[in-house]
Amino acid sequence: EDYSNFSIDLYCYNNQIKISPLIQMEIQDRQGSFDAFCAGFSFEIAVDNDLEKAVKYGCISASLNSRTIGTRISIPPLDEIKKIYEQNY
């Protein structure tokens, strides 16, 4: 199966490997995805200090960022990140 259009968050928390459900997105350009991950992650850590939620926010941000070609125009709005989080988690 081809997983190239999926985003997955795999992380270690309390000495346990955690895997969250895959979120399918149509990938156009992965450039800037790490920056988007860092932004989503950092935002959630600053607001709620919740590591697991922050990882998911980062992955959602990176996935949304990958839908559009270019880096600046593809930065996802916070309300879209929150909406996807609420629908999937």
Side-chain angles (χ1 to χ4, degrees):
E1 191 166 338
D2 179 14
Y3 291 102
S4 61
N5 286 334
F6 286 87
S7 172
I8 185 170
D9 46 351
L10 174 68
Y11 55 99
C12 183
Y13 184 69
N14 289 334
N15 291 325
Q16 294 182 347
I17 300 295
K18 304 274 187 156
I19 301 172
S20 289
L22 295 168
I23 298 174
Q24 188 172 10
M25 299 278 170
E26 185 174 332
I27 305 298
Q28 296 294 320
D29 181 3
R30 293 188 191 275
Q31 189 168 346
S33 293
F34 180 70
D35 295 330
F37 174 88
C38 291
F41 179 88
S42 299
F43 170 83
E44 186 51 39
I45 283 292
V47 170
D48 289 332
N49 197 28
D50 181 337
L51 178 63
E52 291 191 272
K53 190 174 179 182
V55 169
K56 291 175 174 94
Y57 263 53
C59 287
I60 293 167
S61 299
S63 295
L64 292 173
N65 182 80
S66 299
R67 296 178 307 174
T68 307
I69 295 174
T71 53
R72 234 183 251 185
I73 61 169
S74 60
I75 297 170
L78 180 58
D79 60 335
E80 189 173 6
I81 296 166
K82 288 180 177 181
K83 181 180 176 184
I84 291 175
Y85 178 84
E86 291 167 5
Q87 290 172 345
N88 290 279
Y89 304 105

